[in-house]
Amino acid sequence: MRFLVIDNDSHQRWLISRELRREFSQAEVNEIIDTDSLEQALTVGNFDLAVTDYQLHWSNGLEIVRLLKERYPDRPVIMFTDTGNQEIAVEAMKSGLDDYILKSPKHYPHLRASVRSAVERASERRQTATLEGQLRSLLEQHSLGVFQVIPSDRFLETNDALLQILAVRSMEEAQTSEFYRFLSHQGNLGQGQHRKQELLLHRENGETFWGLLSETLTTIEGTTVIAGLLEDITPRKQLEESLRRYASRLETLRQLDRSILQNLSPAEIAHLALQATAPLIQCQLLDITLFNSELQEVTVLAAQTSEGIRLNSGQRFSFEEYGAIDQLQRNEAVIINDLSELDNPSPLMQQFAAQGIRSIARLPIRVQDELIGSLKLASIQPHAFTQEDTDIAQELVSQMAIAIQQSQLRQELQQYAEHLEQEVQRRTQELETTNSDLESFVYLVSHDLREPLRAIQAYNQILLEDHLHQLDQEGKLCTQRIAENAVRMSKLIQDLLEYSRLGRIELPLQPVNLSQLIHEILNQLKLELDQRQVQVRLEDPLPMLKGHYPTLLQIITNLLTNAIKFVRPTLQPQVRIWAEPSGQFLRLWVEDNGIGIDPQYHDRIFQVFERLHSLEIYPGTGVGLAIVQKGIERMGGRVGVESGLDQGSRFWIELPKIEST
Ligand code: ADP
């Protein structure tokens, strides 16, 4: 702590210094004894407090106080004198004197206390001033406007930040601002009451800004004053607004995604998209058009318009009327900032201009590098569209492109499916007609062939019975061959008739006792079985199934005769018959130890007249398995074979089983 001690008397200076050192262990005392030493101390200024006498040869205490306070208003000065009086004390106080103490032996301790408290007060004042300065610069830095105003009268105080926020140069100019008018006309605040509100205000230059106003009503020296803060929250508000718009954009995209998934038509999606986007962009017209490059035509898919602007969905324009198609084809956006300055506007643009439109933004909608349409924004303001607006529009365009592509694919797929369906129906119809034609043909032919065949057989019989003796050996052989071939032909005709009959008659299904049916067949074939010493293994009892008894009898007979027939003559035929469930069906197997069938012929053998062997070794007509297949299919079942060359064959048929109760 550094002190100036100003006194003529060296004893006094010593005594004062002693007191100061007692109070402050680090005290440094500069004794001032004349004008020069005072002048020097004032120039250097290295003191924290001064103690001065009043009566000096070269000056007086009042003068000293003035000089000190003039240069160093914050440094405390204490007058310690025995020559002063009350008037002097009052006078010195006015000049900033901090304390006045009468000089007497008993007042020395008092001096110490006074110095201590003056030093502390000065330090507090310094701290307060520093804090105030910091606060002030903080407020300025954060553009926090501070003001005091007498309602409906005038501003008492404004800081620079407030003037900046209001865009004015002085407190007087601030007086004419919209903000001041607002303060004067708003509702009253109660004493000590606080109020906080967000305001949208205009500056003198026409700009708008958002302010957060906090106010308190207080009384300063009997006057009612509003003390307040005004913060420019425009950036925050803009951020909030753009966040809100961003959220809406996301929501719009989600809605569009949903509508694409819901298989809505492009027109419906476009309509929804425009409805959702319109609130996000300030414009008077928002539309989506589709292009038809073959017809050189533009059709409005959906449009959102404000009053006075005419454009309807479904409306058509030629490319020429519409204009700027080339630019869109090059995948460029068409931005017109002021329609009134456009050279050679297209007829449609002229119409828009006549309706008051000034700005237009058109973005191409492309699918797989092909221009399919465009999105248009139009506003009555020139230079209306911001980057954000075109960004939003671009998102919409991408989404629309996907939607339209999806829908086109869907339509193509649907058309293809319909076409396929029609084709199948047509083919089925054709096939049915051909089949029934064929069947009636087969029936007619077989039927009609029977008569001449019978005649041939009858004449041959006459030859054999009555004229055999007239024939030589070769003639006899020929009649023999005629008889054999006639029998074969008769068998063929019979099989064909049977086959075609199966296609035409109703086969009502009834429960069939398979065991009984197979026993009946084995009985019928007894002679043949015995002749070839066939070993039959029937895994009795077989379950019941649903079928047409006579047809089933015929089918299983055919399978069994084949099983016996297609076995090498040297081998004893072995046949195994068994059944097993197969889902809703019952599968009946007929297995033999015969010559087997090459898998490549497994399908062919079920067709009419398809045979794999010569008649000499294995006689037959080639209709047996065709009858099996047709009969089984007519009863709603299936047929198949498992076999390989020289591995025997396992033929199976499936028919609906009857659940045992
Ligand atoms: P068919 O027996 O009158 O010749 P199918 O229609 O019954 O006529 O049989 C067609 C052909 O299938 C037969 O000619 C024969 O080549 C083959 N085939 C049928 N069943 C068997 C079998 N169990 N083993 C070997 N080949 C068979």
Side-chain angles (χ1 to χ4, degrees), residues 21 51 53 64 114 169 249 300 302 304 308 344 348 351 402 406 439 468 499 508-509 516 575 577 580 627:
R21 286 198 183 93
V51 179
D53 193 3
I64 298 288
S114 168
R169 277 174 302 232
R249 276 161 72 177
V300 180
Q304 286 265 322
N344 290 331
L348 181 66
Q351 275 179 34
I402 294 171
Q406 285 282 103
E439 273 166 14
L468 199 63
Y499 177 77
L509 303 188
Q516 186 195 328
V575 180
I577 305 166
E580 64 185 20
I627 289 177

Side-chain angles (χ1 to χ4, degrees), residues 80 148 492 543 562:
F80 190 50
Q148 284 186 358
L492 261 172
N562 279 353

Side-chain angles (χ1 to χ4, degrees), residues 449-623:
L449 281 179
R450 277 207 301 199
E451 282 306 309
L453 181 63
R454 265 194 223 114
I456 291 170
Q457 282 180 315
Y459 285 120
N460 199 40
Q461 195 62 30
I462 294 172
L463 269 182
L464 278 171
E465 286 174 6
D466 300 345
H467 305 282
L468 199 63
H469 59 278
Q470 290 171 286
L471 294 174
D472 61 6
Q473 208 49 40
E474 198 181 46
K476 286 179 186 161
L477 195 69
C478 285
T479 46
Q480 184 68 34
R481 291 276 185 271
I482 291 172
E484 282 167 16
N485 274 292
V487 169
R488 181 169 148 69
M489 190 161 176
S490 163
K491 173 81 173 101
L492 261 172
I493 291 173
Q494 203 184 324
D495 280 0
L496 277 178
L497 275 173
E498 184 54 35
Y499 177 77
S500 69
R501 199 180 67 89
L502 270 183
R504 286 177 291 116
I505 57 161
E506 281 296 313
L507 302 181
L509 303 188
Q510 272 167 350
V512 174
N513 183 333
L514 257 189
S515 290
Q516 186 195 328
L517 180 127
I518 290 175
H519 279 291
E520 188 179 334
I521 296 171
L522 292 177
N523 252 341
Q524 281 176 8
L525 296 178
K526 189 162 184 349
L527 197 68
E528 233 175 313
L529 292 171
D530 289 348
Q531 267 175 2
R532 291 240 29 205
Q533 299 182 327
V534 182
Q535 198 187 71
V536 179
R537 212 169 99 205
L538 171 63
E539 297 189 0
D540 245 350
L542 297 168
M544 299 282 286
L545 56 67
K546 247 188 181 173
H548 183 244
Y549 194 94
T551 307
L552 207 48
L553 191 99
Q554 165 97 60
I555 285 170
I556 299 174
T557 306
N558 288 3
L559 291 178
L560 275 173
T561 45
N562 279 353
I564 301 164
K565 184 166 58 173
F566 294 102
V567 181
R568 292 195 194 290
T570 51
L571 217 62
Q572 185 199 17
Q574 291 176 348
V575 180
R576 182 179 159 225
I577 305 166
W578 78 100
E580 64 185 20
S582 163
Q584 303 283 305
F585 293 85
L586 187 79
R587 184 177 275 206
L588 179 77
W589 290 89
V590 176
E591 185 188 66
D592 62 46
N593 60 338
I595 56 173
I597 307 157
D598 191 331
Q600 62 174 312
Y601 302 123
H602 284 188
D603 286 339
R604 254 174 66 181
I605 53 172
F606 289 98
Q607 290 167 22
V608 182
F609 298 143
E610 285 292 346
R611 309 195 70 249
L612 304 177
H613 306 95
S614 75
L615 279 171
E616 282 72 28
I617 312 173
Y618 300 111
T621 58
V623 185

